[in-house]
Amino acid sequence: MSEKMIPLEGETQKKRVCYFFDSDIGGFHYGPGHPMKPTRIRMCHSLVMNYGLYKKMEIFRAKPATKREMTQFHSDEYVDFLSRITPSNMNSYVKEQHKYNVGDDCPVFDGLFEYCSISAGGSMEGAARLSRDKCDIAVNWAGGLHHAKKSEASGFCYVNDIVLGILELLRYHTRVLYIDIDVHHGDGVEEAFYTTDRVMTVSFHKYGEYFPGTGELRDVGVMKGKYYALNFPLRDGISDDNYKSVFEPVIQQVMESYDPSAIVLQCGTDSLSGDKLGCLNLSMRGHANCVKFVKSFNKPLLLLGGGGYTMRNVSRAWAFETGLAAGVELGPEIPVNEYYEYFGPDYELDVKSSNTDDLNTPAYLDRVKRIVLENLRHAGGPPSVQMSNIPSMPIDEDLDDPNQNEDFEDPNDRRPMRLLDSRRQADGELSDSEDEGEGGRRNHARYRDRETDDTNGGHKFGMGGGILNAGSMASHGAGPSGHTTAVRILTSSAAAESAMEVDTSSAESNAGGSVAEAAAPETPATEAPVSESAVDATAEKTEETTETSAEDSKMDVDPTPSTAAP
């Protein structure tokens, strides 16, 4: 089995990573047929956990954003509307729905405000932890909703968590750089900071008869913010190499010219090949290269989600990029997890490019790059900022003293979950309970079984929980229909196959019973006594089964080659 996590080469210093996830996020649903599916975040988290990335970073469940915190950017009336409207009373708010653009792309669904609170809370707390030097990289895949405006929902986005996170960063940082690699233009963030030089927005997106219709090359900002908004319009089907040829030179020049003290990177995955709404042709590694390049500048970095509508590709890419943030590269073989059937038929992590035509000619890309860099030169270097006292916010109390309520916790209860989630395993720190599945011990009932298994070249799959153990599995949300996932067992020889069957049986018996026994119905409490004749019949049947098994075993090691296809 390949290694699940491989340390990155050339990693000079390890980053402290804060990863935000709220288990409630996967329970929200935009409605039948809607392409935005919050389940994708839970799918990504399942990969993150089963790869073992939780050992490399701190995991937090952020405090949901309050109405007061949302009104730092959004209007009071709009936030109040979002907090009041529900599917049951929406007919009483027809006029308001039209006013705030809620109804079609942005439907009303159960728990709408709670969904917005979770998304915004993770981005704001991630920004706050970066500002206080509690981490180097903060990750919130539930964020990145870049289309929401001050008083308007847009493009599946209701509350602009990115703007709220940047506002938090601006309390401590003189200049913040925002980079957007979503297939759609980051219009909500650009509009929010269009007149200021304290935030530079750089967006790489599809332009031309495509939502939201903004992000032209000539849109560079106004007033004090002129030339601090950069847009790189792309055409359909851009490849990894072409994307890299424009992304890296532009960002390199932006870093040298603008010199930000913090970076926000929106990692929308609808720019990946095969996305249901996207039209670009990036592979997972081409997309992740942007994260790797931005990380190399060693600035406080806030990684956010965004678009992405082919769930199996979204979760793959974000899990891989979480690994890059933590300093490791995830192995190609996807570990067993609750969404395993979504990743068939190859069950591999990579998202490959397709053979679609790249309409971005070298001449076009060179011309656009030249104009973008010329606009950047007009900005004239990093602007000076007059800093004042940092205003106090409610989030300050929570971060300055996270244990302020510990006196009210019952000492007889188990340790609070926030302490368990925030624990990061130090390198080289392992215990017997934590290294199951590592170092060749995966799925062995006894440690000495490894020697026989390794000698025979066998490859065992455990019979524990997960999709492989289910006879049939209902699909989660929109995705493949419920079906049985075939377990593919690769063997190097027929002898290894026979040995593996014996090992599997012994492992099952050591674990306390076979799969057949586990699937058997429970015995009634008031069972009739068994007669002696029934016992004798059972014994005879057992002897027959043993003889048959011995004959089958002889057939397994028969050297005669089989004519059947493997």
Side-chain angles (χ1 to χ4, degrees):
M1 177 177 288
S2 60
E3 290 291 331
K4 290 204 293 185
M5 293 187 291
I6 306 165
L8 288 176
E9 295 182 2
E11 192 80 8
T12 56
Q13 60 184 47
K14 295 189 176 180
K15 304 293 186 183
R16 298 166 297 160
V17 181
C18 287
Y19 171 90
F20 292 90
F21 175 74
D22 192 313
S23 56
D24 293 342
I25 196 69
F28 299 103
H29 198 269
Y30 275 65
H34 199 286
M36 176 63 104
K37 304 194 182 299
T39 304
R40 66 204 178 125
I41 301 162
R42 195 159 64 185
M43 289 177 65
C44 170
H45 182 69
S46 182
L47 287 178
V48 165
M49 298 303 286
N50 283 281
Y51 264 109
L53 280 173
Y54 59 89
K55 301 176 183 178
K56 303 291 184 181
M57 56 194 182
E58 293 181 295
I59 300 178
F60 295 98
R61 182 174 186 168
K63 176 178 170 289
T66 63
K67 291 171 65 175
R68 177 188 170 187
E69 289 169 335
M70 292 180 186
T71 53
Q72 293 178 66
F73 170 61
H74 295 285
S75 66
D76 294 358
E77 298 81 9
Y78 176 58
V79 173
D80 186 59
F81 163 76
L82 290 178
S83 68
R84 284 187 286 114
I85 192 166
T86 64
S88 58
N89 66 10
M90 59 186 294
N91 292 332
S92 303
Y93 294 97
V94 176
K95 184 178 178 180
E96 288 84 353
Q97 288 183 64
H98 181 73
K99 177 182 178 181
Y100 299 125
N101 194 34
V102 172
D104 295 326
D105 280 354
C106 304
V108 178
F109 57 86
D110 285 324
L112 170 60
F113 188 73
E114 289 76 14
Y115 170 74
C116 297
S117 298
I118 292 171
S119 171
S123 298
M124 294 181 71
E125 187 169 332
R129 288 185 173 274
L130 287 170
S131 295
R132 290 161 180 77
D133 196 31
K134 292 181 180 291
C135 63
D136 302 309
I137 301 175
V139 182
N140 177 34
W141 297 129
L145 305 180
H146 57 171
H147 293 307
K149 311 294 196 302
K150 182 182 181 68
S151 298
E152 181 183 327
S154 176
F156 317 154
C157 308
Y158 304 85
V159 170
N160 200 316
D161 64 285
I162 304 174
V163 173
L164 294 172
I166 292 176
L167 289 174
E168 175 61 37
L169 288 172
L170 287 173
R171 296 170 57 211
Y172 289 79
H173 296 275
T174 55
R175 292 176 298 277
V176 176
L177 172 63
Y178 170 70
I179 305 171
D180 193 313
I181 59 174
D182 195 288
V183 72
H184 301 98
H185 177 232
D187 56 336
V189 183
E190 179 183 282
E191 182 180 299
F193 301 109
Y194 208 57
T195 62
T196 180
D197 57 3
R198 290 196 60 195
V199 178
M200 175 172 278
T201 60
V202 185
S203 180
F204 298 81
H205 54 270
K206 157 73 176 172
Y207 180 76
E209 296 185 2
Y210 199 72
F211 182 87
T214 55
E216 191 184 7
L217 190 58
R218 292 174 290 183
D219 295 338
V220 294
V222 295
M223 299 164 50
K224 200 174 181 181
K226 191 169 186 180
Y227 300 118
Y228 289 97
L230 300 179
N231 288 294
F232 202 111
L234 300 169
R235 295 173 179 169
D236 287 4
I238 190 167
S239 63
D240 289 349
D241 292 339
N242 279 343
Y243 201 94
K244 181 177 182 178
S245 71
V246 296
F247 181 85
E248 292 190 357
V250 168
I251 297 303
Q252 181 72 47
Q253 193 61 43
V254 166
M255 293 298 296
E256 294 174 1
S257 176
Y258 188 64
D259 190 26
S261 54
I263 305 173
V264 178
L265 177 58
Q266 197 265 18
C267 303
T269 49
D270 44 11
S271 49
L272 289 173
S273 175
D275 190 81
K276 291 180 180 178
L277 299 185
C279 56
L280 303 185
N281 194 27
L282 295 182
S283 70
M284 180 189 75
R285 294 183 180 275
H287 191 273
N289 179 70
C290 300
V291 177
K292 197 172 183 179
F293 185 71
V294 172
K295 178 191 172 188
S296 68
F297 291 101
N298 295 319
K299 301 280 188 179
L301 176 60
L302 178 60
L303 289 180
L304 303 176
Y309 308 100
T310 302
M311 291 197 295
R312 61 184 181 275
N313 292 349
V314 175
S315 52
R316 282 173 165 128
W318 284 347
F320 186 77
E321 288 163 3
T322 304
L324 292 182
V328 295
E329 181 176 314
L330 301 184
E333 183 178 317
I334 288 180
V336 176
N337 64 88
E338 59 181 314
Y339 297 99
Y340 191 68
E341 64 177 359
Y342 279 73
F343 304 106
D346 55 1
Y347 305 97
E348 292 184 354
L349 188 67
D350 199 15
V351 179
K352 298 179 175 62
S353 299
S354 68
N355 59 354
T356 186
D357 293 334
D358 187 351
L359 303 183
N360 298 269
T361 62
Y364 170 76
L365 293 176
D366 288 342
R367 182 176 68 87
V368 175
K369 181 169 65 175
R370 187 179 69 253
I371 296 173
V372 169
L373 294 178
E374 182 65 28
N375 290 336
L376 183 60
R377 280 190 286 272
H378 283 304
S384 58
V385 177
Q386 181 67 40
M387 295 298 288
S388 58
N389 292 332
I390 299 172
S392 179
M393 298 293 294
I395 196 171
D396 295 320
E397 299 178 5
D398 294 330
L399 288 179
D400 292 340
D401 186 10
N403 299 319
Q404 57 183 314
N405 295 322
E406 64 180 349
D407 293 336
F408 301 101
E409 294 170 355
D410 189 343
N412 296 320
D413 290 343
R414 61 179 292 180
R415 287 194 297 166
M417 200 64 203
R418 57 182 169 76
L419 296 179
L420 299 175
D421 287 344
S422 63
R423 183 184 180 279
R424 177 186 176 278
Q425 178 179 288
D427 292 335
E429 175 189 349
L430 284 176
S431 68
D432 288 339
S433 62
E434 292 174 326
D435 64 348
E436 297 297 335
E438 296 183 0
R441 289 189 61 179
R442 184 176 181 82
N443 299 324
H444 290 282
R446 296 187 306 274
Y447 185 74
R448 61 174 177 270
D449 288 349
R450 183 186 69 169
E451 298 178 1
T452 58
D453 207 45
D454 289 346
T455 303
N456 294 330
H459 187 158
K460 281 193 301 196
F461 288 84
M463 302 304 294
I467 287 180
L468 293 182
N469 194 32
S472 62
M473 180 65 67
S475 60
H476 303 271
S481 58
H483 62 277
T484 303
T485 302
V487 181
R488 301 167 302 153
I489 301 180
L490 305 177
T491 56
S492 57
S493 65
E497 180 178 344
S498 177
M500 183 175 64
E501 289 176 357
V502 175
D503 285 352
T504 305
S505 300
S506 63
E508 289 170 358
S509 62
N510 288 334
S514 64
V515 177
E517 290 172 342
E522 296 182 0
T523 305
T526 57
E527 187 176 12
V530 182
S531 64
E532 294 181 0
S533 59
V535 174
D536 294 338
T538 303
E540 292 175 3
K541 188 174 182 180
T542 303
E543 293 175 359
E544 293 174 3
T545 304
T546 305
E547 294 173 359
T548 304
S549 300
E551 293 175 0
D552 291 343
S553 179
K554 292 178 182 178
M555 292 174 64
D556 285 341
V557 297
D558 191 348
T560 305
S562 173
T563 58

